[in-house]
């Protein structure tokens, strides 16, 4: 078994849950894609393996509760991505108000500043920060382009 999957397996079992084959397959899909997926999109990837939509919902809820995945809400739909075990553990999100797409802003230099801001806030306020969640809202590159008018 993959090292990261093994780590998560231990975490799930430590919380008192069984590490089922379904959980493993859903995890593997999350690792493969490395972006945000909603329950339906994940279900589409695993339905051939006889995993029902209800199981996908339940599993993602559990993953979110234990802190394996981050849940991002866009217009009432939950999207999930791996938290600390993913390839991009720390990044800013950008949401387009026109097409509702969510983009990962994943830039090393920006992420470093992002960490610095967190540290400064910790120092000044005497708090411990576990996670930073920034969602920028605006209009994406695609939607910014002017639509051609028929005249
Ligand atoms: Zn857009
Ligand atoms: Zn993301």
């Amino acid at each position: 078994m993959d090292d990261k999957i093994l780590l998560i397996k231990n975490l799930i079992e430590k919380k008192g849950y069984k590490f089922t084959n379904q959980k493993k397959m859903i995890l593997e899909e999350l690792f493969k894609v490395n972006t945000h997926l909603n329950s339906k999109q994940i279900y589409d990837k695993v339905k051939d393996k006889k995993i029902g939509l209800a199981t996908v919902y339940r599993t993602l809820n559990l993953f979110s509760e234990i802190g394996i995945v981050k849940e991002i809400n866009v217009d009432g739909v939950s999207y999930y991505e791996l938290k600390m075990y993913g390839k991009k553990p720390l990044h800013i999100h950008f949401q387009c108000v026109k097409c509702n797409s969510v983009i990962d802003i994943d830039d090393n230099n920006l992420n470093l500043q992002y960490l610095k801001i967190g540290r400064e806030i910790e120092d000044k306020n005497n708090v411990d920060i576990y996670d930073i969640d920034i969602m920028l809202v605006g209009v994406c590159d695609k939607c910014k382009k002017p639509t051609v008018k028929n005249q």
Side-chain angles (χ1 to χ4, degrees):
M1 209 184 289
D2 188 283
D3 269 5
K4 284 179 175 172
I5 303 249
L6 204 66
L7 268 173
I8 294 175
K9 176 181 183 279
N10 291 340
L11 189 72
I12 289 171
E13 286 172 347
K14 222 164 59 192
K15 299 273 179 184
Y17 299 97
K18 264 196 201 140
F19 188 70
T20 56
N21 217 20
Q22 284 105 314
K23 288 195 183 81
K24 181 167 173 272
M25 285 188 278
I26 291 169
L27 264 180
E28 282 169 348
E29 292 305 327
L30 286 166
F31 272 113
K32 247 186 256 167
V33 181
N34 199 33
T35 184
H36 325 95
L37 292 174
N38 62 37
S39 310
K40 184 74 184 46
Q41 290 169 322
I42 295 171
Y43 169 67
D44 282 338
K45 291 173 184 300
V46 297
K47 64 181 172 198
D48 295 342
K49 293 160 190 157
K50 293 191 175 117
I51 300 180
L53 187 57
T55 306
V56 174
Y57 276 126
R58 238 183 300 120
T59 305
L60 289 169
N61 268 336
L62 178 71
F63 284 175
S64 174
E65 218 180 280
I66 303 178
I68 296 167
V69 295
K70 184 195 272 277
E71 190 177 336
I72 306 158
N73 197 287
V74 180
D75 263 11
V77 179
S78 290
Y79 288 81
Y80 301 89
E81 68 182 8
L82 284 165
K83 243 168 146 175
M84 58 273 206
Y85 304 105
K87 286 178 199 138
K88 304 181 285 190
L90 186 82
H91 55 268
I92 298 167
H93 288 111
F94 174 89
Q95 186 199 341
C96 175
V97 293
K98 286 202 173 162
C99 66
N100 264 335
S101 57
V102 175
I103 301 165
D104 285 339
I105 311 287
D106 191 29
D107 174 291
N108 267 337
N109 184 38
L110 274 178
N111 285 346
L112 215 67
Q113 294 181 44
Y114 198 21
L115 276 176
K116 263 194 223 153
I117 293 171
R119 217 158 290 148
E120 207 177 311
I121 291 171
E122 282 184 328
D123 286 348
K124 284 189 179 154
N125 300 282
N126 192 32
V127 293
D128 288 334
I129 293 171
Y130 297 143
D131 195 16
I132 309 179
D133 211 339
I134 298 181
M135 177 73 89
L136 305 171
V137 179
V139 182
C140 78
D141 182 44
K142 249 193 294 168
C143 296
K144 249 170 58 184
K145 298 209 169 86
T147 42
V148 184
K149 281 191 190 118
N150 293 320
Q151 277 182 346

